[in-house]
Amino acid sequence: MSYRHHPVAADQPVRVALIGAGWIGKFHAESIAKRIPSARLEAITDPVLPAVQELASRLGVRKISTDVQDVLADPDVDAVLIAAPMRFHSDLITAAARAGKDVFCEKPGGATLEELDAAIDAAASAGVVLRFGFNRRYSSDFAAARRLIDSGTVGTPQLLRSLTRDPGTEAGISNPERIAPGTIFLETLIHDFDTLNWLNPGAVPVKVHAVADALVAPEAKPGGLLDTAVVTVTYSNGAIAVAEANFNALYGYDVRGEVFGSAGMVTAGSPQATNATSFTAAGIASDTTRLNIDLFHDAYTAELAHFVHDVAVRRGYAPEDTTAATAPAAVAAPAGVDARNALAVALAAFKSAETGLPVEVSDIAELRAAEGVLLTELRRRVWIRVLRRGGSRGCAAQTARGTHWPRRDRRRGPKNGRPLALCRPRRQRARDRGLLGVPS
């Protein structure tokens, strides 16, 4: 009797090259090198050689360069992690995809939708994995909030809120004149826009109204600085969301989210570093978090672990039925459509702040939902009941608020784990066509 051959995936780490050795690039490099066993930091590139040398020495990386083409041409590099300045993101995604490298890119994916679309198309044509750094999805409290929304605990989302207050000092913002116009929308609030989109599954933004000013550093306003902003976003399902940001919170790094729905409310996030609170003669006090890499330490690691897993599966280094060990359950990895939707809101907010007028998102871009419309337990029961009765012509059933199940989507029932698409009442279908539905 002889052994039979049983195929297994190769026991090989995903080899990642870092592009950009700045603040967040250094932290991501540490995650790849030290915190994700299935990955290996293969190379580092940055135009500033001393920064590359310092990081490589600390992490034991032999391959370093000031030319990104070196890592793109390296056959030992499976994937690249783009942490370069925003203005280089889309070109780097395109170049890496054409070189056959899987790509993780910090947000945003581009400065314009045209740039981002070209990068997404390049990745799709090359068949590589493309993910974006919207890390809040991987924070345990935000992920728990999304699970509650999915379970129907909150009901239909009606009001949403997301805020980002960057830690500051009494001295104010350092070198405010170096902050590019629109940064508060394109690099800060874009996290909130993705969070709001993600916490309102199946809907897309349709109207944006922003108010912004330089309240922390008014002397820099003539140069285009906006350091404080409030943005209202109206969604295709009628929900109204508010996102706000400020660059100088003296009490620490404050990131929170809230969803109020027809059945309840869920909140996520806190500026407190721990649940410990002191009660003394001086009053009640609690320590707060001061750095993004402290508040989102595990989330930053989990998003990269998820990306590494997806790359490992695509390249045959890991079997498909494994899961990224550090990623919260049911987190949808931010892909091209998510990056595009968040960028569209950011650009609309920037335009609204300049004009003082609301902006229709359709004037910026035509969007589609990143995932199917939320199937709550109530709607799930309605759907099952209708099928048992044999259905009807046209839309299969009508639930509260005039929402219908499309007849053509009965096959996508609960048993296969995919949410059903929704169609609006007949008079609204033409207007909503292309905005709602289950992604392909």
Side-chain angles (χ1 to χ4, degrees):
M1 183 175 180
S2 61
Y3 286 114
R4 295 181 180 181
H5 177 69
H6 179 68
V8 295
D11 183 15
Q12 179 175 331
V14 172
R15 300 162 296 181
V16 180
L18 174 70
I19 301 175
W23 168 259
I24 195 62
K26 290 179 180 178
F27 184 81
H28 285 330
E30 291 174 358
S31 294
I32 294 294
K34 297 180 177 181
R35 292 184 281 271
I36 303 176
S38 56
R40 182 173 74 216
L41 188 58
E42 185 73 18
I44 303 172
T45 179
D46 189 288
V48 182
L49 184 58
V52 177
Q53 292 172 325
E54 184 277 329
L55 185 59
S57 297
R58 182 153 53 88
L59 299 180
V61 177
R62 295 180 181 276
K63 297 179 181 179
I64 64 173
S65 176
T66 58
D67 186 351
V68 69
Q69 295 302 323
D70 289 335
V71 301
L72 298 183
D74 187 347
D76 293 332
V77 170
D78 297 316
V80 297
L81 196 167
I82 299 173
M86 178 189 73
R87 63 185 180 276
F88 301 117
H89 285 185
S90 57
D91 286 344
L92 287 171
I93 293 171
T94 299
R98 289 174 178 170
K101 311 300 184 186
D102 297 292
V103 181
F104 180 94
C105 183
E106 267 300 335
K107 50 73 196 168
T112 69
L113 282 166
E114 292 76 16
E115 290 180 5
L116 179 57
D117 285 343
I120 293 171
D121 289 345
S125 297
V128 299
V129 174
L130 175 60
R131 301 287 182 260
F132 294 90
F134 291 114
N135 57 286
R136 290 183 200 178
R137 297 181 178 213
Y138 294 88
S139 178
S140 59
D141 47 357
F142 280 88
R146 172 58 198 261
R147 289 195 293 274
L148 288 171
I149 293 168
D150 287 344
S151 71
T153 301
V154 178
T156 302
Q158 296 173 346
L159 295 172
L160 300 93
R161 184 182 182 214
S162 182
L163 66 86
T164 300
R165 297 171 185 164
D166 290 340
T169 66
E170 292 184 359
I173 302 171
S174 177
N175 301 314
E177 70 281 352
R178 297 176 58 183
I179 300 175
T183 295
I184 197 166
F185 302 114
L186 295 171
E187 299 195 52
T188 300
L189 279 166
I190 197 164
H191 275 298
D192 299 272
F193 299 147
D194 177 71
T195 300
L196 293 170
N197 292 345
W198 179 60
L199 293 178
N200 192 15
V204 293
V206 295
K207 183 183 292 186
V208 175
H209 190 195
V211 178
D213 207 339
L215 303 181
V216 181
E219 72 279 3
K221 185 175 181 180
L225 174 70
L226 296 172
D227 56 38
T228 306
V230 176
V231 182
T232 302
V233 183
T234 305
Y235 282 87
S236 58
N237 63 351
I240 303 170
V242 175
E244 65 171 79
N246 183 279
F247 285 168
N248 200 57
L250 299 186
Y251 59 87
Y253 190 36
D254 188 1
V255 174
R256 284 175 278 157
E258 176 183 296
V259 178
F260 173 87
S262 58
M265 181 180 75
V266 61
T267 65
S270 169
Q272 293 178 247
T274 70
N275 290 325
T277 303
S278 63
F279 298 78
T280 67
I284 301 173
S286 178
D287 290 335
T288 57
T289 305
R290 296 283 165 171
L291 297 175
N292 60 336
I293 59 175
D294 292 331
L295 182 62
F296 290 115
H297 180 283
D298 293 344
Y300 281 131
T301 304
E303 67 178 353
L304 289 181
H306 198 164
F307 168 69
V308 166
H309 170 261
D310 289 347
V311 174
V313 169
R314 188 184 84 81
R315 293 181 175 270
Y317 300 166
E320 289 191 33
D321 58 352
T322 61
T323 58
T326 57
V331 173
V337 65
D338 302 287
R340 195 174 189 276
N341 289 355
L343 180 59
V345 178
L347 292 171
F350 193 11
K351 181 178 179 181
S352 176
E354 289 181 324
T355 63
L357 300 172
V359 173
E360 298 287 339
V361 179
S362 59
D363 293 340
I364 304 294
E366 290 296 330
L367 303 184
R368 69 176 180 88
E371 48 194 320
V373 173
L374 179 64
L375 181 62
T376 64
E377 288 304 311
L378 172 62
R379 290 172 177 167
R380 190 186 300 270
R381 289 195 295 270
V382 170
W383 184 88
I384 294 173
R385 187 163 60 248
V386 168
L387 285 191
R388 286 173 177 169
R389 291 177 180 175
S392 62
R393 297 184 62 183
C395 287
Q398 183 171 7
T399 64
R401 302 183 186 276
T403 299
H404 293 62
W405 296 121
R407 186 178 180 87
R408 64 180 179 277
D409 279 329
R410 292 182 192 170
R411 64 186 181 281
R412 301 183 187 273
K415 66 180 180 181
N416 64 14
R418 295 191 65 185
L420 295 178
L422 292 179
C423 67
R424 305 291 291 169
R426 288 184 177 89
R427 65 184 178 275
Q428 298 180 21
R429 290 179 195 168
R431 185 188 68 188
D432 290 346
R433 188 173 293 119
L435 297 182
L436 301 178
V438 176
S440 58

